[in-house]
Each structure stands twice: as structure tokens, then as C-alpha cells.
């Protein structure tokens, strides 16, 4: 294998053109095999192999600095920068993250996982270089999908002003995760269709020198252009046209499905593609389709991640113009939804907890200050073993401290449907629903709760001494704790399903003072700024003891979930131990 | 006066061209007089009078919908839409806000005060119109300065895809608050210099039909073009070249100073321009200049609001290339600063609490996840009588629940300087400093605290029974409460200056249990998700009572500060009353 000879990018420089092509084939095979075993980003990495070889052939990393956007396309880079064992040795498959990670290698500058940051970061790197009087190339590698994000534009605008070396490689595979949307993409198409010529060139309009490489999967063509721009003394864009999924036919033909895949995607017997008959995604889609068929002003919105919510092609086609994919543009998505709602439409905006972080100001100003009756569906909220870049445990502090917002936490299908219906019908508030990240449960009976009576908690079981307030997807854990208290301490605890994240049920909380000594809160998220602290504050002037259970304030990186649950005392045994200890002092 | 005849925009339609010019003069005089009395946005409103008249002459508000960006330029619009008394009658000067406000008039669609939102909002309005099968014009009015904000770009990109009527008026006065920065502005200049022609037109590159009006303060010229685009069936940009401060020579010649002015700016005897000899701005500038002269890698960064921090022209000139104004691009500012710090530079990023809201994800991902040692200076944080759009009380929940961040609250000049020095020298963490929003206090003695020992609170006075933890600018209030407790209850309370917003001093808090029954927290911000709730959580399993004082979760709109202090019990009398009540039960 050619790859045997490659331990640093420098080893590339001795290869012939033919050897580099062979190397690309070897890398492709390794990536396919690994990703089919572990899951991960497939299409983006297959498309960027040749460009990565060419980049490392022409530039001198880590002296020259390469900043990856999202960095979900960094697998070839990892192979070439001393981490090939993560691809050749199945036992090491999980040793390295799927994103750039400075702790792994000096060739990785930043921990990155959200989109549209590379140009901003590269501009900072270049500016530091200039201030320190150093000389090297700074390269940002950004996909076409990421270009629609506001942070990317802000970066481009400022980078154009830098007055020194910065090379932005626009990896244009004519796809975001799903298809692209937005005026910019017509410009990219025009450029692709005319070998880099267009009547108005977006990049040139911002002041960049512009180069086009039609054959973005041709190492020689890439090397030629990269050599031209190397050591430039001004801002340059190199627009390369690549094929997402290049070299794997099924991935080339099913770009959206093969963007990120589950393990076993290529195995005939795989169950990676089979979906449960009913889950929160299917319930959501059915609800929206039903409302959309009755009301032409219903509109479903995504910011380029329809797959997260199961908004598949069939669903999108059925909705037609009642569906908007705004592209990677979460800020716009929120403002757009707010204006739709204020103008009498009925928007449903689906967004993943981690990406919701893009929108704090829009949630506050565009949405909540205007009290627009948007329905937001927050997906994947909760503690997880995810990469540090994709943690989803911050949405409660993010959303729930904004005035006017109603943030709801259903615990079963029926509650979820009742909350959707309430949100759809009301015109008073922005409503966000934390779609449970656990498998769908059905209570079996319709939920007739009037959710327009805000902050009314539900007592699932009335007991005494200890009350367990178990939020959303942690209601089952609350039930377990209740049972364990009964079993271990013969204590008949109260169990409460609060449903409302954004407020305290003061009447209920006050009533607990009569025959309870301790209230515990369970929330599937970070404690700091979250739900439980409000309960602690509420009882601050009383004799009620309060224990808050949830995650610590920390970024975790692929720590297994059960390990996190142990760490945060989120098991029935640990919780009951903590309750025991607290009760001992409470009776003193 | 022509204005006497104008009560609705419809009344404009009968005016002759000459009458409209007279009307513009009348409006100009009223705006100057009012703003000189009340303070407010002057330059932006003087520049847009003619365009506002032309818009309302051609379009039919409120059937046609006009969405203002920032809406700091809506004074002429308010005059023409039934609210002229707010300009003609000094007693009504404060009746209407300085921003669009739907509760005032059906001609105002949204409550807006932050930049770069109009195109997103207008796209939502237009989409709702289309879904509902209605017909009217949707107009967004956006200034050139706002174009650099990511949300604006996301809006433009999506608006271009709308496939129906949307008219974006780009009000180009060649200024942000300060001068513009960024590649886009070279394109605007090229367009202005060549009567709307440029080799690459930014707006056309996104797919917009493009019109240029060179004389943006000429009502006739504007009317002509607005008529051309009225009822268009596709997305259109009308680029108008206006003069900021038009018609007031001193404002035309001092655009930055006259963007927003204090009352009395035009009075010869005015003290509006005089600055105190020493304040937190001057201390900050001196510190940065000193470090910058010693270290070429020191860089001060602003996102288009240098005036907020007193980064005046002299300061900017002295820093030269060690100063970056990224334009209105807060997201980029944070990512850029993070990359600078990671690359060995020493960035100081100044940002106003309200505009910080734009950056949650960048704070989390680009900055804190990468643990980049940036120094952030957060200005104006605290409860205020400001407009609902410019409240500055959310920064504590926003920043302090993000892992790795160190958020500091100095209470005097010496602490502030020691914190600046600590942040400058360390390389471990992102550090944010909440620059006190109260007049500068000097303790008179150098602060030798080692701030690298995190979360160490300072006991100002050791007492018993009650401990007052008074954060940052509320330390003086804490002292007042301490004195009042002494006076009224003969109670020698403990006073603590926590300094660290982002953590609990567990040792100190535990030690308080020995001889204290009650801890109160005072914070100049919203309680929800803030500092005090962490203290309440900490003591949840103990017998310590906790009372948290701070603002409720609500948007307030120009409510006088003393009224808010009463409402939130933030006076020594009300706090001591609450303490008394709590102590009564504590002894039961």
C-alpha cells in the first residue's frame, strides 16, 4: 500500500501523480470500510479525498494552517496526518473523533462541529500571523452548504478586508445535507455551468480573487491551482467542484441518505435503514400533514437538517410550498417563522437542540419580544454520549430564561399531541416543545389537559415526605426512583410530571410543604440555568429541602451515557442514596 | 404647515412634488428639535426623511407592509402614520418609542431594535401572504451597516428564493454607526461610484433584480423607482444612496457622533459632549493602549459599536492595525477573537450586553469549547429603563452557564484592572468581565488578588445570621442593606463580594452554615438562570435559607429604573423587610 509510506503530510511530496491516485483509492476503501462499521459522515469524506491529498501536497501543514468547516470532512486529513491507524485498525476505529481535535494532532487547529465557522476562524489565525510578523498560508475549507450560514458570510466579508494571505477553498458538491436552497446557490450553479464564469460572481463581488477548478476530484488539477494561490498576499477563493460520495456509486446516487450513516449501511442484511412503525418523528409528520391539508397557511420549516426530524422526501413533496428549507440559516429560520406567525400563518419549526444555539438573539428579539405564536420542535434535547461539538444538553437554559416563551416537556405520545394541538390553536405565545429523545410511549388515553393554563404541573402520584419532579424524558427515571424509595425505604413518594419547563406551579409547590420534607428535581440537561434551580429558588425561604439532579457544567466528549449517568447520579440507586443522606439531616 | 394635513400616509397622495419637499423640511425641523430635547437617533432619521415620504406616497401602508431594520430610522415613518404629536408636542415627546412598535400603530409590524433582521422578517411576511393567497407589497428597509450581519445575509439568500413580491430597499449612507468595514462595502462603493454599475454586483449575484437611485434624498427620483418596482412579482433590491444627517450640517460632517445623541447636543452650552475625567471606558482604553505598545499581538475588537466603549477615533488611530472593527458581525467577532487567542495573539473584544445575545453559539462552540484565552468586556450589563429591544439584563444566564467560561464582576477600578491583568496574562480560559455600569469607584488600594484561583469570593465584612452576597455593581446596594440591617435590626450581617459569576465558592458558602441562617443574593440582572439560583441550589440540602434578589423574567419597555427597583424589591428597605419576614419563619 502507498499509505504504508505516509505518516506525515511531508511524505506525500515524494509521490508521483499515479501514486497519489492509488493512495486516494486506498483511502477511499478504508473510509468506506470504517464508516460502514462505526457509522459516521460518509459522502462528505468520499468527496474530499483528492482535495485533501492535493492540499497536503502543496501546503506545509502544520506550518501552513488548515481550518475545516464543520470538520465532518476531515477523515482523509486524519489519515494523512499521523492518525491512519484510526482507519486501518478496527480496534482503533474509535480512538479518534470524527471532527478536528487539537488534542489529537497539531494539524488540527480547532474543535469544530457546527457549520459556517471556518472563514471567521481562519481570519483570526491570519490576523494573529500578521500581527506577530510571521509568514505562512492560512486555508479555510468550507462546503457550499455552509455558505448560507450567517457566520460564514460575516467571515467572508471581514476576510476580504484582511489585506493579506488567506485562501478559502469552497468545496462545492451542490449539496447541503439535503439539497441547497437560496439565491447564492443559483450563483454557484451558474459558476459551475460556465467553468467559473458568471455575470455576477458572488465571491468577486466581495473582493476576492477567484479561481475555479471544474474537476474537484482530480488531484492534478487541484494541485495546479493550489500552487498558483500558495503564498498569495491577498484574500483568494478557490471554488472546487467535487462529487459528494465520490467513488461509491450508491452514495453518489443517494447523497442525502449517505451524508451521515448508521453502522452497517452497506450490508445487505442491515437494519440501519429500517424505521420503527411509530415514533415521535412519524407522529409529528402525521400531525403537520393533517393540519397542512386543512389549512394552507400551515408551513413546516427546517434549517437544512430535515433528516433530524424524519422530514423525508415524501413528506417534503406532500407539503410542497408549505415546506421551507431555509438552508443552514438557523437565525433566519427563527425570524422567518416569527414573521409568518405574526402574519397569520402557522409555522412549525423543527430544530436540533445543539443547532438551536445559533438562535438565542432571534429567539429573544425576533420571536419572544414579539410574542409570535410559532411552534418550535426541539429535537434530541438531553444528556448524551455525543461528540463535544454536538452536545444537546443546553437548550433548557438557552430557551427557558427568555420571557414570553412557553417551553413544554411531554412524556408520552398523547401529551405530545395535546401540546401540538394547543400550540397550533393558540395565538398568545411562542411555544417550544422538547420532543422526547427516548422511544415513544403511549399512555393509551387521550390527554385533555388545557395547556393554555400555563405552568400547571401534573401529579402522577400523591405521596408524602419526598416529592419527585421528573421533567420530560426523565419521567420514567422518576418512576424508578419512586419505586425504589418504596422498596428500599418503604417511603411513599410523590411523583410529579411538570410538563412546563418555563414556570413554577406555585400552588402545587406550596401545597407540597404540608407533608413533604424534600423535593428532588430530575432534568435531562445541564443543571446550571436550568429547571431545577428555579425550584430551589422557589423553596429558598422555606424549610423544604431541594436536591437537583442533572448534568454538570462541562463539555463531555463521547463519554458513554451510562458513565455520565453515574457521574451525575442519574440512576435510581444513586438518587435514592442521595435522598437518604438528605433525609437524615432533614430530620435533625 | 403641510404636516397639518397629514394624518395618515394616504394624505400624502394629494401633495404636489413641491409640497412634499416642504413637508420634508418641516419633518426635519421637528426631528432635530425633538431629538435635541430628548436625545435619540439623529443622523439615521435625517437621512431617510425623503425615502420615507416616497415610500408612503407610492405604497399603501398598512396594506402594503414595511419592515424596518433596527427601526432606529422610523421617526419620519411615525410622523406620517398618525403619531406626529410625538414630534410636534413637547409634552408628547416621550409618548412613542424610538423604534417600531405594533402596539402603537398598525403601520408597525414588529418590535425591532437589533440589526439585520428586516429581510428575514419581510420574507416571512411575504411567505404568509403567498400561502394565504393575498396580494400586497412587502418592503424591507435596511441600512448598509446592517448588511454585514449574518442574519441579514441569511435573509437575503432566502428572500431571493421566494419567487414572489419582496422589495428590499438598501439605504446606503456609506456609514454604519462608525465607518463600514468589509469586502461588501467596496462593492457598494463601486456601485455608488458608477451609478449602480459594477463588474460584480453583490445583489445580482444572489439573484435579485437591482435598481439604483443615486439621489436617495430626492423624493421625485425615489418615487419614480419605487413606482417601477411596486407590485413586482419577484424579489427586487432598490439601492438608494442617501446622506446620513441630511440637512443638518454638523450631523453631515460628524456622522458617527450624530448617529445617536444625548439631549442638548446642539446647544452651545451643552454638556452632552463632556466626558468625566476617568471612567471605566478611559481605564479600559489606557490599559489596552499600554499593553498594545508592549505587545504587537494585542488587538482590540469591536462589532461596529466602538462608541459604546469609548473607542474613539484617537484610540482607534493609535492602535492602527491592532484594532479591528468587524462591522455588525458579532458572531464573527467572537470566532475571530477565539482564533486570534488560539494563535497566540491577545484579543480584547468589547461588546454590549444586549448585542452579545447574537453570539451564544459562538461563545459556546468557537470560544469556550476551544478554551481560547480571549478577554471579553461586557458593557452595560444590568437592569435598566431602556427600550424593550435594548435590555441588557440577560448576559449572566447567557454567558455563565457555558462550560469553561470565567465571568468576572469587578466592583471598583482596582479590581477591574487586576482582572484585566489576570486575563491578559493567562492562557487557560475565555474570560469575560462585566464592566460596571455604575460610575467608577476607586478603592484606593491595589488589588493583589490572584484571579487564577477561580471562584474565590471576597468577604468584605464578617458578621453573622445573615450573609449578603452582592454581585458586581450591586455591591453598594449590599453595603446599604448591611447598614440598614444594623440600624433597623441591630444585626451584624456578613457582606460578600463574589467577583466570580461563573462558580460557587463552596468552602466559603459551607463556612457560612456555622453562624448564618440566611443568605441573600443581589444581582443586577434577570434571576432566571442567573447567579443567585446557583446559590439556592447549593444550599438546597441544608438548613440555610436563601433569598434571591434580581429582575423578574419579563421584557420591560422604558420603565423608569426606580420603578423597576421597587417592583423587584431592589431597595434596602424592601430587602430588609423581606429578610425580616424570612428570619421570622427561620426561627420557628
Amino acid at each position: 500500500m502507498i499509505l504504508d509510506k505516509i505518516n506525515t503530510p511531508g511524505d506525500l511530496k515524494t509521490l508521483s501523480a499515479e501514486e497519489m491516485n492509488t493512495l486516494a483509492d486506498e483511502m477511499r476503501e478504508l473510509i468506506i470500510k470504517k464508516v460502514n462499521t462505526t457509522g459516521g459522515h460518509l459522502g462528505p469524506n468520499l468527496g474530499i479525498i483528492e482535495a485533501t491529498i492535493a492540499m497536503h501536497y502543496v501546503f506545509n501543514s502544520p506550518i501552513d494552517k488548515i481550518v475545516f468547516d464543520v470538520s465532518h470532512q476531515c477523515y482523509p486529513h486524519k489519515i494523512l496526518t499521523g492518525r491512519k491507524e484510526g482507519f486501518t485498525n478496527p480496534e482503533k476505529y474509535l480512538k479518534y473523533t470524527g471532527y478536528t481535535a487539537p488534542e489529537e494532532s497539531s494539524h488540527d487547529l480547532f474543535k469544530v462541529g457546527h457549520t459556517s465557522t471556518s472563514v471567521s476562524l481562519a481570519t483570526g489565525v491570519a490576523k494573529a500571523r500578521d500581527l506577530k510578523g510571521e509568514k505562512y498560508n492560512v486555508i479555510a475549507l468550507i462546503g457550499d452548504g455552509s455558505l448560507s450560514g450567517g457566520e460564514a458570510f460575516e467571515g467572508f466579508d471581514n476576510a476580504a478586508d484582511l489585506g493579506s494571505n488567506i485562501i478559502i477553498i469552497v468545496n462545492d458538491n451542490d449539496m447541503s445535507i439535503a439539497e441547497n436552497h437560496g439565491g447564492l446557490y443559483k450563483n454557484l450553479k451558474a459558476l459551475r455551468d460556465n467553468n467559473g464564469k458568471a455575470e455576477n460572481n458572488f465571491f468577486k463581488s466581495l473582493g476576492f480573487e477567484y479561481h475555479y477548478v471544474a474537476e474537484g476530484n482530480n488531484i492534478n488539477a487541484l494541485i495546479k491551482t493550489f500552487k498558483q494561490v500558495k503564498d498569495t498576499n491577498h484574500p483568494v477563493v478557490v471554488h472546487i467542484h467535487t462529487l459528494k460520495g465520490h467513488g461509491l456509486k450508491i452514495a453518489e446516487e443517494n447523497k442525502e441518505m449517505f451524508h451521515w450513516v448508521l453502522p452497517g449501511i452497506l450490508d445487505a442484511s442491515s437494519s440501519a435503514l429500517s424505521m420503527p412503525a411509530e415514533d415521535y418523528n412519524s407522529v409529528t409528520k402525521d400531525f403537520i400533514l393533517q393540519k397542512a391539508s386543512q389549512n394552507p397557511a400551515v408551513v413546516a420549516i427546517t434549517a437544512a437538517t430535515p433528516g433530524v426530524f424524519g422530514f423525508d422526501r415524501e413528506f417534503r413533496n406532500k407539503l410542497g410550498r408549505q415546506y421551507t428549507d431555509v438552508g443552514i440559516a438557523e437565525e433566519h429560520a427563527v425570524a422567518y417563522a416569527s414573521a409568518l406567525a405574526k402574519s397569520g400563518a402557522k409555522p412549525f419549526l423543527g430544530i436540533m437542540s445543539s443547532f438551536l444555539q445559533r438562535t438565542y438573539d432571534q429567539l429573544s428579539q425576533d420571536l419572544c419580544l414579539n410574542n409570535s405564536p410559532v411552534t418550535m420542535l426541539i429535537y434530541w434535547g438531553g444528556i448524551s454520549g455525543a461528540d463535544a461539538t454536538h452536545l444537546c444538553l443546553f437548550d433548557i437554559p438557552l430557551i427557558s430564561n427568555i420571557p414570553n416563551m412557553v417551553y413544554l416537556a411531554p412524556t408520552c405520545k398523547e401529551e405530545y399531541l395535546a401540546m401540538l394541538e394547543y400550540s397550533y390553536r393558540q395565538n398568545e405565545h411562542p411555544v417550544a416543545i422538547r420532543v422526547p429523545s427516548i422511544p415513544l410511549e403511549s399512555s393509551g388515553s387521550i390527554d385533555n389537559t388545557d395547556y393554555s393554563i400555563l405552568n400547571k404541573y401534573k401529579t402522577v402520584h400523591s405521596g408524602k415526605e419526598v416529592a419527585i419532579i421528573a421533567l420530560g424524558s426523565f419521567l420514567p427515571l422518576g418512576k424508578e426512583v419512586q419505586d425504589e424509595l418504596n422498596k428500599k425505604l418503604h417511603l411513599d413518594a410523590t411523583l410529579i410530571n411538570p410538563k412546563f419547563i418555563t414556570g413554577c406551579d406555585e400552588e402545587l409547590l406550596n401545597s407540597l410543604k404540608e407533608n413533604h420534607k424534600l423535593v428532588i428535581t430530575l432534568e435531562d440537561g445541564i443543571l446550571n440555568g436550568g429547571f431545577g434551580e428555579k425550584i430551589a429558588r422557589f423553596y429558598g425561604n422555606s424549610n423544604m429541602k431541594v436536591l437537583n439532579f442533572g448534568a454538570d457544567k462541562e463539555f463531555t466528549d463521547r463519554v458513554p451515557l451510562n458513565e455520565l449517568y453515574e457521574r451525575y447520579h442519574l440512576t435510581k440507586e444513586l438518587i435514592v442514596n442521595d435522598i437518604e443522606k438528605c433525609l437524615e439531616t432533614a430530620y435533625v
Side-chain angles (χ1 to χ4, degrees), chain A residues 388-422:
Chain A
T389 50
H390 286 73
L391 297 173
C392 285
L393 77 163
F394 301 104
D395 54 287
I396 293 179
L398 186 83
I399 292 184
S400 70
N401 298 314
I402 302 174
N404 295 347
M405 176 68 89
V406 176
Y407 195 16
L408 299 170
T411 66
C412 65
K413 173 184 162 186
E414 289 77 8
E415 280 178 10
Y416 180 51
L417 282 170
M419 289 170 180
L420 282 170
E421 190 70 37
Y422 151 69

Side-chain angles (χ1 to χ4, degrees), chain A residues 513-534:
Chain A
K513 289 177 187 168
E514 282 169 31
N515 54 350
H516 293 77
K517 290 256 183 304
L518 169 65
V519 168
I520 74 161
T521 64
L522 307 178
E523 64 194 295
D524 195 3
I526 183 176
L527 281 174
N528 298 57
F531 172 78
E533 289 185 346
K534 273 85 180 166

Side-chain angles (χ1 to χ4, degrees), chain A residues 54-74:
Chain A
M55 269 199 303
H56 279 302
Y57 180 84
V58 173
F59 298 104
N60 299 310
S61 175
I63 294 168
D64 292 330
K65 314 290 182 198
I66 305 171
V67 183
F68 289 81
D69 208 275
V70 195
S71 79
H72 62 313
Q73 78 294 57
C74 71

Side-chain angles (χ1 to χ4, degrees), chain A residues 289-305:
Chain A
L289 283 173
Q290 189 214 347
K291 294 301 180 195
S293 70
Q294 295 163 353
N295 179 351
V298 165
V299 54
I301 304 168
T302 183
T305 54

Side-chain angles (χ1 to χ4, degrees), chain A residues 34 54-55 76 106 150 204 259 266 290 310 340 358 425 429 432 439-440 471 479 509-510 519 529:
Chain A
K34 177 193 166 157
M55 269 199 303
S106 62
K204 286 187 179 179
H259 174 80
L266 296 171
Q290 189 214 347
L340 277 159
R358 279 289 153 95
R425 292 195 179 281
H429 298 291
L440 182 132
L471 187 69
K479 184 84 184 71
L509 294 181
N510 273 321
V519 168

